[in-house]
Amino acid sequence: MRTIKTIGVLGLLMLSFACSNNDDSNDSSETPSTEKLLISGKWYLESKTPIDFSACEKNGSFQFNDDGSVQQENFEENSGTCEAADLIRATYTLSDSSLVITFGSEIISVTINNITASELTLTDSNGDTFVLDKTQG
């Protein structure tokens, strides 16, 4: 009788471990946070409404870093050649869907409308909508 109880207890223990909620495969289905997506790499300018970017301007990018810094790289047409114009370093803060970028004394506030691993859509205080993606140009 004692052997049957021992086997029964061992069986229950094995069953409880097999049914545990601590399953590593569940982690892969979680959606990354807005912050994780924002700092996942360079975001290139894709489009703007109402006035769109030129083909040259679409080479411009934003690189958000986990330390709260951001680098903006701008491109402009110079005598028919698209050239890097400048690299601006700034800081940013993220709170829910509100993104505030501080360039020295200039502060730009935008709302993150949507963010995925490959596309970022923002609206500024003037109502202009910006689409950024992971593809340069």
Side-chain angles (χ1 to χ4, degrees), residues 105-116:
S105 61
E106 184 180 358
I107 297 173
I108 298 171
S109 296
V110 295
T111 300
I112 298 175
N113 300 329
N114 187 43
I115 187 167
T116 66

Side-chain angles (χ1 to χ4, degrees), residues 45-64:
L45 302 175
E46 178 57 33
S47 65
K48 177 184 172 191
T49 53
I51 300 171
D52 204 1
F53 297 115
S54 70
C56 181
E57 289 172 325
K58 288 184 179 185
N59 289 297
S61 65
F62 288 86
Q63 173 71 52
F64 295 91

Side-chain angles (χ1 to χ4, degrees), residues 37-38 40 43 114-121 134:
L37 290 168
L38 192 64
S40 66
W43 291 99
N114 187 43
I115 187 167
T116 66
S118 60
E119 188 172 279
L120 171 61
T121 306
K134 296 294 185 158

Side-chain angles (χ1 to χ4, degrees), residues 64 68-70 88-93 99-109:
F64 295 91
S69 66
V70 60
I88 302 169
R89 298 184 196 291
T91 59
Y92 75 93
T93 56
L99 178 63
V100 178
I101 303 172
T102 305
F103 298 95
S105 61
E106 184 180 358
I107 297 173
I108 298 171
S109 296

